[in-house]
Amino acid sequence: MPAKRSPARRPTMKDIALRAGVSESAVSFALNDRPGVSEVTRDRVRRVAEQLGWRPSTAARALSGEGAATVGLVVARPADTLGVDSFFLQLISGIQEVLAERHLGLLFQVVEDVEAECAVYRRWWAEHRVDGVLVVDPRTADPRPALLDELGLPAVVIGGVPDAEHPGMSTVWADDAGAMASVVDELYALGHRRIVHIAGLPGLAHTERRIRTLRAEAERRGLTEVRSVTTDYSDAEGAAVTRRVMEGDTPPTALVYDNDVMAVAGVAAAGELGFSVPGDISVVAWEDSPLCRMVKPWLSALSRDTVQFGRTAAQELTALLDGGPSRTVQVPLPGLIERDSTGAARGAEMGAGGGN
């Protein structure tokens, strides 16, 4: 009987680095279109990879039966709020673009809470269902990073902040504090001194950052009638909270909503109570979308490239799967697009201070 041949060893990033005369990190940056190497180095690394017949490790592992060629995404939010949430739809679109290019699947699941989400990670790990995960909605007290460290699952946290305790986990984050400060600056310049932030879910890290920033900006200016109210992101709660704050003894002159759906519902609720926008109340939506331009008046909104946000997160995860180092990436600061829903506070003197 002829001797059984050993399978050929697949080329690795280390092989490419040795042949190209660069570091393994430079190889990872070059093959994943990440900044950090020159175009000359990028071209040389790609030529060497082609010569060696290198393919992304996730695809190779899938062909050998060792990997799933799939990444996971679990969302712990009320299912009925996701169907109308433009942020998640655009985020997943960006993620899917990158995964499709790499022939990777996306395993998506909606659960009730973080405890259920952790159970899903354990099950996926035990069943070898995914090669890595994308983690959304970081919490202020979040058990997921430690669990993923324990399981050894590569992960990218979307919307978190740099965390020295989990150096093996990449983070893609947005400056929510800076964005809230810019909104307060604009409303204050328009004479608004009574501002209510109709926020999203309590306990989410980005919700808490926005609340803290609003409070700090109010204290800095000596404003006493500025506050946040948390919701479940739904149009129903957005409208209900709007009615409640507008029916108070001293209704606000400006409302900042944590998504576009609540902002649209809030405009309708304010109108039902006899308040005009922006004559009586100015409105800002945190996420810009076509929905903000389908109502009258058009809504002022914070705009960012959410599809690119998703692409960036997926690129960072595929880089980890290919053996690259973890990184912290900050996406551009959302910019405020001023439309017809914001205007000067009634009776305000521009630049005046005080709490009224």
Side-chain angles (χ1 to χ4, degrees), residues 21-309:
V22 298
S23 68
E24 289 184 55
S25 293
V27 172
S28 175
F29 293 156
L31 294 178
N32 290 286
D33 287 324
R34 293 163 64 179
V37 295
S38 68
E39 287 304 313
V40 172
T41 298
R42 196 183 304 276
D43 291 341
R44 182 166 74 252
V45 167
R46 287 175 173 172
R47 285 198 304 271
V48 170
E50 184 66 26
Q51 291 165 5
L52 293 177
W54 178 87
R55 294 294 181 270
S57 63
T58 46
R61 290 175 64 212
L63 290 172
S64 66
E66 298 173 1
T70 300
V71 302
L73 172 62
V74 185
V75 178
R77 284 196 187 186
D80 58 355
T81 67
L82 291 177
V84 293
D85 194 321
S86 63
F87 172 81
F88 272 107
L89 296 175
Q90 294 178 63
L91 185 77
I92 292 173
S93 294
I95 291 169
Q96 189 58 44
E97 282 185 24
V98 173
L99 298 185
E101 292 170 358
R102 295 289 300 270
H103 305 291
L104 295 169
L106 177 65
L107 185 56
F108 177 70
Q109 189 161 342
V110 179
V111 296
E112 292 185 0
D113 52 35
V114 171
E115 183 179 353
E117 182 176 343
C118 289
V120 170
Y121 293 144
R122 292 189 182 93
R123 184 173 72 253
W124 283 353
W125 172 80
E127 296 174 354
H128 303 282
R129 297 287 300 276
V130 297
D131 297 315
V133 295
L134 295 157
V135 180
V136 296
D137 287 342
R139 265 67 175 178
T140 50
D142 202 328
R144 295 173 297 174
L147 171 64
L148 295 170
D149 278 349
E150 175 190 331
L151 298 178
L153 269 177
V156 172
V157 177
I158 301 173
V161 295
D163 189 345
E165 296 181 5
H166 303 282
M169 184 176 295
S170 289
T171 301
V172 179
W173 71 291
D175 186 3
D176 292 286
M180 177 60 84
S182 70
V183 171
V184 176
D185 280 342
E186 177 59 27
L187 292 175
Y188 187 83
L190 290 171
H192 295 282
R193 304 296 181 261
R194 299 195 303 275
I195 303 170
V196 171
H197 168 214
I198 300 182
L201 289 166
L204 297 186
H206 64 260
T207 300
E208 299 304 323
R209 287 198 299 272
R210 295 172 192 179
I211 291 173
R212 285 197 305 270
T213 302
L214 178 66
R215 185 183 303 122
E217 292 294 315
E219 290 175 355
R220 185 166 69 86
R221 293 176 170 87
L223 306 181
T224 59
E225 297 182 82
V226 174
R227 61 192 174 105
S228 297
V229 182
T230 56
T231 70
D232 65 358
Y233 282 111
S234 70
D235 56 335
E237 285 206 9
V241 172
T242 301
R243 294 188 190 96
R244 189 162 72 245
V245 299
M246 296 305 295
E247 289 176 332
D249 293 336
T250 54
T253 63
L255 295 171
V256 180
Y257 293 86
D258 262 6
N259 69 13
D260 52 346
V261 173
M262 291 198 298
V264 170
V267 168
E272 291 170 0
L273 295 174
F275 293 97
S276 68
V277 177
D280 299 312
I281 184 79
S282 284
V283 170
V284 176
W286 197 272
E287 296 291 343
D288 190 25
S289 75
L291 192 60
C292 294
R293 302 183 297 278
M294 292 179 182
V295 294
K296 293 293 184 180
W298 284 15
L299 301 184
S300 297
L302 281 164
S303 177
R304 60 179 166 184
D305 191 342
T306 306
V307 173
Q308 183 56 46
F309 201 179

